[in-house]
Amino acid sequence: MTDLTSLTIAEARTALASRSLSATELTDAYLAAIDAANGTFNAYVTVTHDQARAMAKASDARLAKGDAGALEGIPLGIKDLYATEGVHTQACSHVLDGFLPRYESTVTANLWAKGAVMLGKLNMDEFAMGSSNETSYYGPVKSPWRAKGSNEALVPGGSSGGSAAAVAAHLCAAATATDTGGSIRQPAAFTGTVGIKPTYGRCSRWGIVAFASSLDQAGPIARDVRDTAIMLKTMASVDPKDTTSVDLPVPDYEAAIGQSVKGMTIGIPREYRVHGMPDEIEALWQQGIAWYREAGAKIVDISLPHTKYALPAYYIVAPAEASSNLARYDGVRYGLRVPGRDIIDMYEKSRAAGFGSEVKRRIMIGTYVLSAGYYDAYYLRAQQVRTLIKRDFEQAFAAGVDAILTPATPSAAFAIGDKDMNADPVKMYLNDVFTVTVNMAGLPGMAVPAGLSANGLPLGLQLIGRPFEEETLFKAAHVIEQAAGRFTPAKWW
Ligand code: GLN
């Protein structure tokens, strides 16, 4: 075989099962690719060579015995937000310097139990706050994509920027990611990869560093729709350690792929036609609509009237929860400690030195909107708006809509340094204008590549579904993938 790293999970699974490929060979191919290219991309913040080889060896033994799990021998990258026992877990923040968890997150434990191999930990925006991977303490991730005729370094999106770049550059077969306001779907759209944020409660949050607990969800980023389905099947579980985990059986998502969308009703929300959206995004959306019509789906115009309040409400709810979740980083229990003259001084110095500027902004906004006298005006109102957003979706689904089609992002990827968060954070926040609504409502949302921009960069469409109906999204996303094809960057590295 020529390039082992170009195999999808489904292809590798077949080769491993027939023993024409060993897990060790596959893992070594990925480790070599990472060693050669990570200096260029900065996608991994730590590479677990020895652990990967030991896990691959154990996989080979199980394959030999005919005892293979669903992800046996498949090499994965893990976002730095997931606790991995004894391995670098710092949410890409300075404040967690040196922190090595004594436990494994439920999602990663599920993956290892099914035979997957860990290649290392992936770069991300600090505490998952950002849309470009530029807030990471470990520096930005470079996208493997370049605009036509340009060598300018582009962002892979964020916060799961390392995950998306590593999948697109073939530095892992697939990756774990998380999505609080768009962090799976926006980087997937920017890199020509597929990402799903499942319904809130589908994957356990146990052992994932908390950002905004009522919005955070784990999910995969992978090369195609089938691989995304394979990943989610193993990542999802019912977990008594997360009280928001929902007690429903995990379906075989892969079985939905290839099913017809004939007779399915797809809603097109008029409020997602935002001011200043480039023509090529509108054209991509129309193309998606045309593909579904051809496939026999019914297209209906719908209204989600509270959409315009989603982003401002998100930037109250998410910082409020973050300010509470991040209170635990005090220099005592985890990571960095900067000595002070007394304990209060030590707390202050540790937090001042440990958090980056975007994280500090969120903590300040969060504590402000929760403070006595402002709570009703901001936090309570934002929660009320959240209910209205959720109701908009419920009404559309009650009227017979099976899935909603929107653009995934308002633009293609931009250059590193283009949107300065210190100068104008709102410019960056606007990246998530189409994705945050889904987190606010707790619904499943999936980004699937649908075409290229005029300058040759990937563009994605988003599918939004009813709670716990991820199968509908896999079925519908596959139709787009069949029509649009897959998108891989030309190799320049
Ligand atoms: N970009 C959004 C933010 O900065 C969402 C991030 C995420 O989904 N983790 O909050």
Side-chain angles (χ1 to χ4, degrees):
M1 248 175 266
T2 43
D3 187 4
L4 297 178
T5 64
S6 64
L7 298 175
T8 62
I9 294 179
E11 289 162 351
R13 181 175 64 181
T14 309
L16 289 161
S18 71
R19 321 272 344 264
S20 60
L21 169 69
S22 74
T24 300
E25 284 172 289
L26 187 61
T27 297
D28 283 342
Y30 276 108
L31 290 173
I34 296 168
D35 291 342
N38 200 48
T40 303
F41 297 120
N42 197 27
Y44 283 86
V45 292
T46 210
V47 185
T48 49
H49 294 89
D50 294 345
Q51 199 160 335
R53 290 197 182 102
M55 289 172 100
K57 200 170 159 203
S59 276
D60 281 328
R62 284 189 295 269
L63 283 156
K65 275 198 294 180
D67 189 16
L71 285 167
E72 200 64 70
I74 303 296
L76 303 178
I78 303 298
K79 188 176 183 178
D80 200 36
L81 208 61
Y82 289 73
T84 42
E85 192 180 346
V87 176
H88 191 287
T89 301
Q90 296 183 16
C92 286
S93 178
H94 188 35
V95 89
L96 275 164
D97 261 6
F99 175 60
L100 298 174
R102 303 222 183 121
Y103 49 86
E104 190 73 31
S105 81
T106 297
V107 167
T108 49
N110 290 345
L111 294 169
W112 314 145
K114 296 290 182 192
V117 169
M118 175 166 70
L119 293 168
K121 301 300 285 289
L122 294 162
N123 205 342
M124 54 178 283
D125 279 299
E126 185 181 4
F127 284 106
M129 298 174 189
S131 305
S132 65
N133 213 114
E134 289 166 286
T135 72
S136 168
Y137 178 65
Y138 297 93
V141 173
K142 227 186 250 180
S143 173
W145 286 88
R146 283 172 165 180
K148 243 186 245 159
S150 162
N151 288 341
E152 197 173 31
L154 302 179
V155 303
S159 66
S160 311
S163 306
V167 172
H170 296 182
L171 303 186
C172 56
T176 66
T178 61
D179 191 313
T180 302
S183 281
I184 290 175
R185 292 159 286 158
Q186 184 256 16
F190 275 12
T191 55
T193 56
V194 180
I196 185 166
K197 180 204 89 76
T199 312
Y200 185 79
R202 181 68 289 182
C203 288
S204 169
R205 289 181 297 106
W206 196 79
I208 298 175
V209 177
F211 164 10
S213 307
S214 76
L215 302 161
D216 299 343
Q217 253 303 286
I221 292 182
R223 303 222 189 126
D224 65 9
V225 175
R226 182 177 298 276
D227 281 8
T228 310
I230 296 171
M231 284 288 288
L232 183 61
K233 166 82 182 157
T234 298
M235 290 172 72
S237 64
V238 184
D239 184 6
K241 288 189 285 207
D242 173 1
T243 52
T244 61
S245 154
V246 173
D247 190 2
L248 279 174
V250 182
D252 179 8
Y253 299 117
E254 211 183 337
I257 292 170
Q259 285 178 16
S260 165
V261 295
K262 208 178 208 108
M264 194 170 140
T265 302
I266 297 190
I268 311 297
R270 71 174 64 100
E271 291 79 7
Y272 282 59
R273 195 156 280 119
V274 296
H275 181 70
M277 189 167 90
D279 291 345
E280 60 188 8
I281 302 287
E282 175 67 35
L284 183 87
W285 199 6
Q286 293 305 325
Q287 176 64 77
I289 293 170
W291 284 328
Y292 282 122
R293 273 215 181 92
E294 280 160 36
K298 189 173 143 207
I299 306 292
V300 295
D301 286 326
I302 60 167
S303 174
L304 301 168
H306 298 91
T307 299
K308 61 175 176 290
Y309 304 116
L311 202 62
Y314 169 85
Y315 276 98
I316 291 172
V317 174
E321 294 184 17
S323 71
S324 162
N325 276 326
L326 271 56
R328 71 190 72 176
Y329 306 109
D330 55 5
V332 177
R333 285 165 290 185
Y334 308 89
L336 184 78
R337 175 180 301 174
V338 179
R341 41 173 203 283
D342 53 30
I343 191 162
I344 302 289
D345 193 41
M346 187 279 289
Y347 289 157
E348 289 178 359
K349 289 204 164 93
S350 299
R351 286 171 68 83
F355 292 129
S357 57
E358 182 60 23
V359 175
K360 284 180 186 157
R361 185 203 322 274
R362 308 267 180 130
I363 293 172
M364 286 190 280
I365 292 172
T367 44
Y368 178 81
V369 299
L370 290 174
S371 58
Y374 293 102
Y375 182 93
D376 290 358
Y378 293 104
Y379 187 69
L380 194 66
R381 269 200 104 118
Q383 290 289 36
Q384 288 164 337
V385 168
R386 188 172 179 178
T387 302
L388 295 173
I389 292 167
K390 194 159 177 265
R391 202 171 291 161
D392 284 352
F393 283 108
E394 282 164 0
Q395 281 165 357
F397 293 130
V401 168
D402 298 303
I404 296 168
L405 181 73
T406 77
T409 57
S411 74
F414 45 90
I416 293 177
D418 228 24
K419 294 187 203 275
D420 180 357
M421 272 189 123
N422 293 321
D424 184 0
V426 176
K427 268 205 186 116
M428 189 68 83
Y429 298 170
L430 280 167
N431 267 284
D432 298 316
V433 63
F434 299 141
T435 49
V436 287
T437 50
V438 175
N439 302 76
M440 294 294 264
L443 301 172
M446 186 166 182
V448 59
L452 294 176
S453 66
N455 60 357
L457 297 175
L459 296 173
L461 287 171
Q462 173 177 232
L463 286 155
I464 305 167
R466 294 197 180 102
F468 299 99
E469 290 190 10
E470 283 81 3
E471 288 159 288
T472 307
L473 302 188
F474 284 112
K475 181 163 93 175
H478 190 246
V479 169
I480 293 181
E481 186 176 70
Q482 290 292 103
R486 281 178 46 193
F487 300 89
T488 318
K491 196 165 173 186
W492 49 265
W493 59 94

